[in-house]
Amino acid sequence: MIYKCDGIVIDNEPLIKDFIYLMKIKETKIAEYAKPGQFLEIKTGTLPLLRKPISIFAVDKVEGTISILYQVKGQGTKNLSQFKIGQSIDLMGPLGNGFAVEKFNKKCLLIGGGIGVAPLYDLGLRLKEVGNEVEFILGFSSKETSYAIEYFKELGPVKIATIDGSVGVKGTVGAILEDYDLTDISKAYGCGPEPMLKYLKTIEDEVDLELSLEAYMGCGLGACLSCVCKMNDGDYKRVCKEGPVFKAKEVSFDE
Amino acid sequence: MIYKCDGIVIDNEPLIKDFIYLMKIKETKIAEYAKPGQFLEIKTGTLPLLRKPISIFAVDKVEGTISILYQVKGQGTKNLSQFKIGQSIDLMGPLGNGFAVEKFNKKCLLIGGGIGVAPLYDLGLRLKEVGNEVEFILGFSSKETSYAIEYFKELGPVKIATIDGSVGVKGTVGAILEDYDLTDISKAYGCGPEPMLKYLKTIEDEVDLELSLEAYMGCGLGACLSCVCKMNDGDYKRVCKEGPVFKAKEVSFDE
Amino acid sequence: MSKLECQLGKLLLKNPVTVASGTFGSGKEFKDFYDLSLLGGIMVKGTTPEKRVGNKPQRLVETSGGVINSIGLANGGIDDFIFNILPEAKTYGTEIIVNISGGCIEEYGIMAHKLDLEGVGAVEVNISCPNVKEGGITFGTDPEMAYDVTKIVKANTSKPVIMKLSPNVTNIAIMAKAVESGGADIISMINTLIGMSIDVEKRKPIINNVIGGYSGPPIKPVALRMVYEVYKAVNIPIIGMGGIMNTTDALEFLMAGASAISVGTGNFVDPYIPINIIKGLEEYVEKNGLLSYKEIIGAVHR
Amino acid sequence: MSKLECQLGKLLLKNPVTVASGTFGSGKEFKDFYDLSLLGGIMVKGTTPEKRVGNKPQRLVETSGGVINSIGLANGGIDDFIFNILPEAKTYGTEIIVNISGGCIEEYGIMAHKLDLEGVGAVEVNISCPNVKEGGITFGTDPEMAYDVTKIVKANTSKPVIMKLSPNVTNIAIMAKAVESGGADIISMINTLIGMSIDVEKRKPIINNVIGGYSGPPIKPVALRMVYEVYKAVNIPIIGMGGIMNTTDALEFLMAGASAISVGTGNFVDPYIPINIIKGLEEYVEKNGLLSYKEIIGAVHR
Ligand SMILES: Cc1cc2nc3c(=O)[nH]c(=O)nc-3n(C[C@H](O)[C@H](O)[C@H](O)COP(=O)(O)OP(=O)(O)OC[C@H]3O[C@@H](n4cnc5c(N)ncnc54)[C@H](O)[C@@H]3O)c2cc1C
Ligand SMILES: Cc1cc2nc3c(=O)[nH]c(=O)nc-3n(C[C@H](O)[C@H](O)[C@H](O)COP(=O)(O)OP(=O)(O)OC[C@H]3O[C@@H](n4cnc5c(N)ncnc54)[C@H](O)[C@@H]3O)c2cc1C
Ligand SMILES: Cc1cc2nc3c(=O)[nH]c(=O)nc-3n(C[C@H](O)[C@H](O)[C@H](O)COP(=O)(O)O)c2cc1C
Ligand SMILES: Cc1cc2nc3c(=O)[nH]c(=O)nc-3n(C[C@H](O)[C@H](O)[C@H](O)COP(=O)(O)O)c2cc1C
Ligand code: FES
Ligand code: FES
């Protein structure tokens, strides 16, 4: 069931000013049905015209709230950053398929790059709830532009990579994965920029891997066919409906 | 000299909530040069795209401020009503020709209808400054929708007409003018809705009369030729440049 | 009889509010929001004779307050539509209007013939796609080709035939007259304007296909003007669309001469727009003491 | 040599930023804001053989984030321009480009001949006005008529001839080729789209003339697409316009294939837009280490 409803902003704090924000929204129905990896389509103002797809970062089903972690890029996310506490916000969701959550034999590895870390917090939490151990590998460009790490530390060990080496290992998440023993891992999940996802496909034979993709969206509902990504069989699938989560082996990043 | 500058809002109070507002703006250059009857072109937000023409209600050349009195009609004036104290506001002005101000033998009569009263306050003040006596006839639709009367009372006697008769004479300003002795008057000025201006043209032979007109404006600068009104000689003149003030005898309201 | 009942030639809609092809899937995608039977009709996503995967992404971008798309008529093909989509769609309790595109005149005939089925309310013929045989001239810009397409579709179906006009022409009235004389029952208009958007960082077009169809609020003035012109030129009813977002927009189209309207890009912004417009029209009709909304069709011409 | 120096055939501008006809008067109206010699050029308000009072108001309205106008070419006539406006305009220190409109082909020739004067930088030929003789078909939609107008203007002037294209055509490339083969030195594009807006309270068109020219930000995607198409079709330089409000917009037009740009409706919103774009282009050229802004002309085609 997809709802369109007006949530109420109950918090909207910068983690890094003008860059990364965490917004908490009271919206019981979406909170009730949301699964990890699903996203919202948010109307951020009169313009931009289109809603903006934003992942669900955290859900509190008891208090009926959802949180989003977002990066200010253009007008839409800038508008988001200007919402005040108590203001109503026009949401559609929960959308998309979400990550597979079940009890696995071995550990789960959650790999995020930049704002791609957003859906991994709720995922980690749900994986733990059903009895898994979770570990995180998170990549940022630098110490100053890294964020939300303390949230992930609540759930399990966190390894950090930064491009400039200012914290953790120097390089991308690949620099950590190179030396990582994947035999310990039942299931891996990845979300981040396309180069990272492309890199992750190189480990798809070593571990059962799910990737959350991004694509430019018109409707978020499966109607407009704009958000497609290429599958290995040459066909296209809709990121908003069959995705955003796909098995790594299904997808193709070839031109 | 026309300036485009960012003024600072120093007051923006509703006289009647969601309907009539009085905004005071710090903007020394425009304040210095503004003449009564001139107007500003104000950028009220991203949309509407076009600036909005608003008359100058009052000017304080000493403190370097200008005030505007405006009625909320659509998006542009709604945006105006939401400006906060301390916010900067993008203005162009002073624009247009303005009313003729000089020392006359007899009294001056200032006739305003609805929001058309706006330019008459500054005009009254300047006329007094040069030694004239001023009287006002102001028309509103009802007591509840009348406003700013106390400002005009500072300057001279004020007669009120309301359509529903809830205050003053019942009817339009015409109901007062009918019985008015114009032989006492050297000069009359009118500003208000088109039906009122049409009515005023019926007294143009009895008294020297100037009218301030409205027209839909593109540029406010005389460049686009959109704001024209018909003259008695069949030609068109630009309300933003040759106007907004015309001699009553010059203009024609015929279709 | 409801004051919103809408008669378009032999096509009867419960109200004049429909949803535009390509923006509403087959209806299924919007089922969670409201009862689809409230709608006057659904123009389903365009179908073609064979399955098409569509264009390489990026297929859509917001620009200048509107949207450019180049989906490339991605769909499972007409047979897939008939066997896998229509059976469910026809249970929605609203008119299912099937939007078709062919690569040559004959294909339009074949598709129309296949769709002469129970559950199909009308056929909407998209003539904005290029004609492969005639070297890429689109059917929608050449009046003779538009006439021929209309003829062949009419000859192959008992359903009302809606010809959908492209706005990318010098003279829309000529196109309208051509499809009218070909036997069209209804005209729907406008399809998208052709537009482009550039990524100045990458120095590349944003849409992978370079150009695409421009829709949404910015195209409304052009759409209204064309509806106005076509209303004067023909005697068949018009379904107006192009940037409709609310009841006022819908009223503008009706007054310009449309007998019904379609919400397109608006469905992405707020899926409830068609429903809000139905309510808005009901209120308008009551407030103005009209016996039927029809009284305002073409009002600006009077 | 300045990195913004702009060579359009034999017309040399100090930079590629001009202001569009009808939105900048004769320049005088903007003199208070900045030194007009900063501009690449000024396209003055359209002139006609005789004085025209223009259309009955309301002549302009904002709609859908843009503007519709129907001024009706109000102007004092070509002689008035030459004797009363040009003498001042030619002192501004920027190229004065005179926009002309005729009611028949001969009138274009006469006007071009009269304007073959010192102080006139170029003639810009507006072919969007209806041809009275040929029953209201506009010169701007018929390639043969556009060709004939170009020919006669060229035959009557030694000045660079800029042909201004209307976007209200099926195939803009054909129009561009027609004026190129008629001898046009430069193409400027686009003129306004034709649009309409309705007052639903009054049930009347808002513009007294019913339809009008639609300009401003909403038309940018259409303008860019057409510049892109024309760049591929012809070898003469293009002055691009349509909704340009800032440096990014200007860069989009240059990358699509324009060699210069024009700010129109933007002048109403903020008279400093042309100046801001000149600064913005200077910065862009520096930041990207270009020898000349010309390096990005047509960049998306590569
Ligand atoms: C399934 C999904 C989940 C996402 N989750 C998050 C999240 O949790 N936090 C977060 O900060 N960001 C997330 N994003 C990205 C976010 O949608 C974009 O950053 C946002 O739309 C940018 O809009 P803007 O107006 O601020 O910037 P713009 O300047 O409009 O765009 C900046 C870039 O964002 C992307 N973008 C813009 N509009 C859309 C759109 N309609 N659909 C998809 N991409 C678009 C484009 O790549 C564009 O180049 C997610 C995207 C998808 C598809
Ligand atoms: C010289 C002049 C002086 C004015 N002085 C005042 C004043 O002191 N106080 C005041 O409240 N109002 C004044 N007005 C009217 C004011 O400009 C309009 O009410 C305002 O533009 C409405 O804009 P909107 O977006 O709120 O409403 P909209 O819904 O856009 O328009 C409501 C009505 O306002 C008029 N209008 C809209 N845009 C323009 C425009 N660009 N130019 C002219 N008229 C327009 C139209 O008649 C329109 O029907 C003046 C107008 C003129 C021409
Ligand atoms: C994403 C998208 C896909 C579309 N697909 C089709 C289509 O398959 N067939 C068709 O005739 N029109 C198609 N259209 C055009 C719309 O039906 C409509 O004519 C146009 O978008 C104008 O209306 P709007 O401004 O309300 O969107 C599509 C439009 C969009 C935005
Ligand atoms: C009020 C107005 C008047 C115009 N007058 C003319 C004109 O006289 N001659 C002409 O060729 N174009 C005229 N135009 C068209 C502009 O020069 C320009 O081509 C068009 O507006 C698109 O650019 P823009 O979107 O930046 O405004 C006019 C445009 C406007 C808005
Ligand atoms: S965004 Fe419309 S189908 Fe995915
Ligand atoms: S508003 Fe442009 S000339 Fe008056």
Side-chain angles (χ1 to χ4, degrees):
Chain A
M1 196 71 182
I2 299 168
Y3 299 95
K4 178 187 171 296
C5 35
D6 287 326
I8 302 288
V9 174
I10 52 180
D11 212 349
N12 191 21
E13 283 303 310
L15 301 189
I16 303 176
K17 190 154 157 29
D18 294 333
F19 181 49
I20 300 291
Y21 287 72
L22 187 60
M23 183 191 282
K24 193 174 194 177
I25 304 164
K26 176 97 186 170
E27 181 19 66
T28 35
K29 268 192 286 189
I30 294 181
E32 185 177 343
Y33 293 101
K35 290 183 297 184
Q38 289 190 305
F39 66 97
L40 308 172
E41 277 272 26
I42 308 182
K43 184 74 178 144
T44 65
T46 312
L47 286 178
L49 184 71
L50 294 177
R51 290 168 180 271
K52 294 290 173 176
I54 301 285
S55 302
I56 296 170
F57 171 72
V59 181
D60 189 323
K61 296 194 189 264
V62 179
E63 45 169 52
T65 62
I66 40 183
S67 297
I68 57 174
L69 180 74
Y70 61 93
Q71 174 178 344
V72 173
K73 284 210 173 134
Q75 191 60 48
T77 45
K78 188 175 169 201
N79 290 350
L80 275 184
S81 74
Q82 285 163 353
F83 271 81
K84 303 259 171 299
I85 293 176
Q87 217 177 317
S88 84
I89 181 163
D90 175 355
L91 311 172
M92 248 163 46
L95 300 169
N97 60 350
F99 293 107
V101 173
E102 55 184 272
K103 172 74 183 87
F104 298 102
N105 296 329
K106 291 179 281 178
K107 284 189 293 190
C108 300
L109 180 61
L110 284 63
I111 308 158
I115 195 65
V117 304
L120 302 185
Y121 177 74
D122 190 42
L123 173 63
L125 201 74
R126 302 299 152 200
L127 285 168
K128 279 196 73 174
E129 273 181 2
V130 299
N132 296 293
E133 268 180 66
V134 297
E135 272 185 38
F136 296 90
I137 300 180
L138 308 179
F140 298 100
S141 51
S142 68
K143 187 168 183 202
E144 294 77 56
T145 60
S146 68
Y147 42 86
I149 297 168
E150 60 285 10
Y151 290 93
F152 296 100
K153 285 197 172 147
E154 289 170 14
L155 304 176
V158 177
K159 290 203 169 63
I160 306 284
T162 52
I163 302 297
D164 69 355
S166 51
V167 58
V169 177
K170 186 176 162 83
T172 65
V173 296
I176 296 175
L177 275 167
E178 261 173 13
D179 310 321
Y180 201 92
D181 183 5
L182 289 168
T183 55
D184 256 11
I185 304 293
S186 276
K187 178 93 183 188
Y189 305 87
C191 185
E194 195 165 306
M196 178 186 120
L197 300 181
K198 273 187 185 161
Y199 171 82
L200 289 184
K201 266 187 75 74
T202 62
I203 61 164
E204 70 184 14
D205 291 327
E206 296 168 55
V207 61
D208 183 12
L209 176 66
E210 288 187 0
L211 299 179
S212 178
L213 306 194
E214 282 197 13
Y216 205 99
M217 294 189 176
C219 67
L221 299 168
C224 72
L225 311 182
S226 62
C227 63
V228 296
C229 63
K230 190 69 153 288
M231 295 291 118
N232 256 333
D233 63 4
D235 220 343
Y236 283 119
K237 278 192 176 165
R238 297 169 296 185
V239 170
C240 74
K241 204 77 190 176
E242 284 84 40
V245 179
F246 294 94
K247 294 207 167 301
K249 290 198 172 175
E250 270 184 296
V251 301
S252 152
F253 292 111
D254 303 341
E255 283 300 281
Chain B
M1 196 70 182
I2 299 169
Y3 299 95
K4 178 188 169 295
C5 34
D6 288 326
I8 302 289
V9 175
I10 53 180
D11 210 350
N12 192 19
E13 283 303 310
L15 301 189
I16 304 174
K17 191 159 157 22
D18 295 333
F19 180 49
I20 300 292
Y21 287 72
L22 188 59
M23 183 191 282
K24 194 175 194 176
I25 304 165
K26 176 98 186 170
E27 180 18 66
T28 36
K29 268 192 287 187
I30 295 181
E32 186 177 341
Y33 293 100
K35 290 183 294 182
Q38 288 190 304
F39 67 98
L40 309 172
E41 278 272 24
I42 309 182
K43 183 75 178 143
T44 66
T46 312
L47 286 178
L49 184 71
L50 293 178
R51 292 168 179 270
K52 294 291 175 176
I54 301 285
S55 301
I56 296 170
F57 171 72
V59 180
D60 189 324
K61 295 192 189 264
V62 180
E63 45 169 51
T65 62
I66 39 184
S67 298
I68 58 174
L69 180 73
Y70 61 93
Q71 174 178 344
V72 174
K73 283 212 172 130
Q75 191 60 47
T77 45
K78 188 175 168 203
N79 290 350
L80 275 185
S81 74
Q82 286 163 352
F83 270 80
K84 304 260 172 296
I85 294 175
Q87 218 177 315
S88 84
I89 183 163
D90 176 354
L91 312 171
M92 245 161 49
L95 300 168
N97 59 349
F99 294 106
V101 173
E102 55 184 275
K103 171 76 182 85
F104 298 101
N105 296 330
K106 292 178 281 178
K107 282 188 294 188
C108 300
L109 180 62
L110 285 62
I111 309 158
I115 195 63
V117 305
L120 302 185
Y121 177 72
D122 189 43
L123 173 62
L125 202 72
R126 301 300 152 200
L127 285 169
K128 280 194 74 175
E129 274 181 3
V130 298
N132 297 293
E133 268 179 66
V134 298
E135 272 185 38
F136 296 90
I137 301 179
L138 307 179
F140 298 99
S141 51
S142 68
K143 186 170 183 196
E144 293 78 54
T145 60
S146 69
Y147 43 85
I149 297 168
E150 61 283 14
Y151 289 93
F152 296 101
K153 285 196 175 150
E154 289 169 15
L155 304 177
V158 178
K159 291 203 168 65
I160 306 284
T162 53
I163 302 296
D164 69 356
S166 49
V167 58
V169 176
K170 187 176 161 83
T172 64
V173 295
I176 296 175
L177 276 166
E178 260 172 14
D179 310 322
Y180 201 93
D181 183 6
L182 289 168
T183 55
D184 257 10
I185 304 293
S186 276
K187 178 92 182 189
Y189 305 87
C191 184
E194 194 165 308
M196 178 186 121
L197 299 181
K198 274 187 183 162
Y199 171 82
L200 289 184
K201 267 187 74 75
T202 63
I203 61 164
E204 69 186 16
D205 290 327
E206 296 167 57
V207 62
D208 183 10
L209 176 65
E210 289 186 1
L211 300 178
S212 177
L213 306 194
E214 283 197 12
Y216 204 99
M217 293 190 175
C219 66
L221 299 168
C224 72
L225 311 182
S226 62
C227 63
V228 297
C229 63
K230 189 70 152 285
M231 294 292 117
N232 257 334
D233 62 5
D235 220 342
Y236 284 118
K237 279 193 176 164
R238 296 169 296 183
V239 171
C240 74
K241 204 77 190 176
E242 285 84 39
V245 179
F246 295 93
K247 296 209 168 296
K249 289 196 172 176
E250 272 184 294
V251 302
S252 152
F253 293 110
D254 303 341
E255 283 300 280
Chain C
M1 200 194 75
S2 154
K3 291 177 180 175
L4 291 193
E5 199 171 276
C6 170
Q7 179 102 39
L8 305 171
K10 46 184 181 156
L11 179 65
L12 190 72
L13 307 180
K14 64 179 67 133
N15 64 58
V17 181
T18 67
V19 286
S21 179
T23 66
F24 209 74
S26 65
K28 187 168 67 195
E29 293 79 1
F30 288 79
K31 253 178 21 184
D32 282 3
F33 298 117
Y34 49 81
D35 180 357
L36 300 177
S37 76
L38 293 171
L39 295 172
I42 297 174
M43 278 76 153
V44 299
K45 171 68 193 163
T47 57
T48 53
E50 306 294 334
K51 177 186 160 106
R52 288 172 59 98
V53 294
N55 294 332
K56 238 180 93 177
Q58 182 166 347
R59 291 180 173 184
L60 185 141
V61 71
E62 174 167 345
T63 181
S64 309
V67 158
I68 295 180
N69 88 81
S70 177
I71 307 298
L73 288 171
N75 80 104
I78 181 85
D79 296 330
D80 175 67
F81 174 79
I82 290 170
F83 295 110
N84 298 321
I85 297 175
L86 185 59
E88 185 181 332
K90 73 185 185 192
T91 67
Y92 295 155
T94 185
E95 291 303 324
I96 299 300
I97 295 165
V98 187
N99 182 277
I100 62 171
S101 283
C104 62
I105 298 207
E106 295 70 34
E107 285 185 357
Y108 279 103
I110 294 166
M111 293 180 79
H113 187 73
K114 285 191 178 179
L115 285 168
D116 203 7
L117 296 172
E118 184 257 312
V120 172
V123 175
E124 182 182 48
V125 185
N126 179 358
I127 50 174
S128 303
C129 31
N131 175 330
V132 187
K133 277 202 194 159
E134 311 279 329
I137 304 175
T138 68
F139 299 104
T141 58
D142 177 357
E144 278 172 45
M145 283 167 77
Y147 172 88
D148 291 344
V149 173
T150 315
K151 273 269 178 199
I152 201 164
V153 172
K154 278 299 284 182
N156 279 282
T157 184
S158 62
K159 305 286 174 186
V161 171
I162 306 172
M163 297 302 294
K164 184 161 181 181
L165 301 187
S166 160
N168 303 291
V169 296
T170 306
N171 190 324
I172 193 82
I174 291 178
M175 296 303 302
K177 283 184 189 154
V179 302
E180 182 182 44
S181 57
D185 299 292
I186 302 164
I187 284 170
S188 66
M189 61 189 291
I190 59 173
N191 212 315
T192 50
L193 285 171
I194 306 174
M196 179 174 178
S197 181
I198 291 172
D199 183 331
V200 296
E201 297 301 323
K202 298 196 188 133
R203 303 183 187 179
K204 289 269 169 255
I206 295 181
I207 296 290
N208 187 65
N209 190 41
V210 181
I211 61 173
Y214 184 38
S215 65
I219 75 169
K220 193 183 73 169
V222 176
L224 276 174
R225 182 264 296 183
M226 290 190 165
V227 167
Y228 177 87
E229 288 174 348
V230 167
Y231 180 84
K232 285 199 292 191
V234 299
N235 291 309
I236 52 178
I238 300 166
I239 304 175
M241 71 193 83
I244 297 179
M245 302 296 284
N246 55 43
T247 304
T248 307
D249 294 338
L251 288 169
E252 283 192 76
F253 276 86
L254 296 173
M255 290 177 185
S259 295
I261 61 100
S262 231
V263 177
T265 305
N267 294 307
F268 305 163
V269 180
D270 178 356
Y272 287 93
I273 287 176
I275 303 301
N276 294 340
I277 293 178
I278 294 168
K279 285 191 206 135
L281 291 179
E282 276 163 359
E283 283 163 24
Y284 181 88
V285 163
E286 283 315 317
K287 219 182 89 188
N288 289 273
L290 308 183
L291 294 176
S292 158
Y293 86 96
K294 283 172 209 160
E295 294 176 39
I296 59 161
I297 296 173
V300 302
H301 296 267
R302 293 190 281 269
Chain D
M1 199 192 79
S2 156
K3 291 177 178 175
L4 292 193
E5 198 172 277
C6 170
Q7 178 103 38
L8 305 171
K10 46 183 181 157
L11 180 64
L12 189 72
L13 307 181
K14 63 179 67 133
N15 65 57
V17 181
T18 66
V19 287
S21 178
T23 66
F24 208 75
S26 66
K28 187 169 65 194
E29 294 79 1
F30 288 79
K31 253 180 16 185
D32 281 1
F33 298 117
Y34 49 82
D35 179 356
L36 299 176
S37 76
L38 294 170
L39 295 172
I42 297 174
M43 279 78 154
V44 298
K45 172 67 193 164
T47 58
T48 53
E50 305 294 333
K51 176 187 161 103
R52 288 172 59 98
V53 294
N55 294 332
K56 239 181 93 176
Q58 184 166 345
R59 292 181 173 184
L60 184 142
V61 70
E62 174 167 345
T63 181
S64 308
V67 159
I68 295 181
N69 88 80
S70 177
I71 307 297
L73 288 172
N75 80 103
I78 181 83
D79 296 330
D80 176 65
F81 174 79
I82 291 170
F83 296 109
N84 299 320
I85 297 176
L86 185 60
E88 184 180 333
K90 72 184 184 193
T91 68
Y92 295 156
T94 185
E95 292 301 324
I96 299 300
I97 296 165
V98 187
N99 182 276
I100 61 171
S101 284
C104 61
I105 297 204
E106 295 68 35
E107 286 186 357
Y108 279 102
I110 294 165
M111 293 179 80
H113 186 74
K114 286 193 178 181
L115 286 167
D116 204 8
L117 295 173
E118 185 257 312
V120 172
V123 174
E124 182 183 48
V125 185
N126 179 358
I127 50 175
S128 302
C129 32
N131 175 330
V132 187
K133 278 202 193 158
E134 310 279 329
I137 304 176
T138 68
F139 298 103
T141 59
D142 178 355
E144 278 171 46
M145 282 166 76
Y147 172 89
D148 291 344
V149 173
T150 315
K151 273 269 179 202
I152 201 162
V153 172
K154 277 298 285 182
N156 279 283
T157 184
S158 63
K159 305 287 173 185
V161 171
I162 306 172
M163 297 302 294
K164 183 161 181 181
L165 301 186
S166 159
N168 303 291
V169 296
T170 306
N171 191 324
I172 191 82
I174 290 179
M175 296 303 303
K177 283 183 188 154
V179 301
E180 182 182 44
S181 57
D185 300 292
I186 302 164
I187 285 170
S188 66
M189 60 189 292
I190 59 175
N191 211 315
T192 50
L193 285 171
I194 306 173
M196 179 176 179
S197 180
I198 291 171
D199 183 329
V200 296
E201 297 301 324
K202 298 195 188 133
R203 303 184 188 179
K204 289 270 171 255
I206 295 181
I207 295 290
N208 187 264
N209 191 41
V210 182
I211 62 173
Y214 184 38
S215 65
I219 74 169
K220 192 184 73 170
V222 175
L224 277 175
R225 183 263 296 183
M226 291 189 164
V227 168
Y228 177 87
E229 288 174 349
V230 167
Y231 181 83
K232 285 199 294 192
V234 300
N235 292 310
I236 50 178
I238 301 165
I239 304 175
M241 69 193 83
I244 297 179
M245 303 295 286
N246 54 43
T247 305
T248 306
D249 294 339
L251 288 170
E252 284 192 75
F253 275 86
L254 296 173
M255 290 178 185
S259 295
I261 61 101
S262 231
V263 176
T265 305
N267 294 310
F268 304 164
V269 180
D270 178 356
Y272 288 93
I273 288 176
I275 302 302
N276 294 340
I277 293 177
I278 294 168
K279 285 191 205 134
L281 291 180
E282 275 164 0
E283 283 163 24
Y284 181 88
V285 163
E286 284 315 316
K287 219 182 90 186
N288 290 272
L290 307 184
L291 293 178
S292 158
Y293 87 96
K294 285 174 207 155
E295 293 175 38
I296 60 162
I297 297 172
V300 303
H301 295 265
R302 295 189 279 268

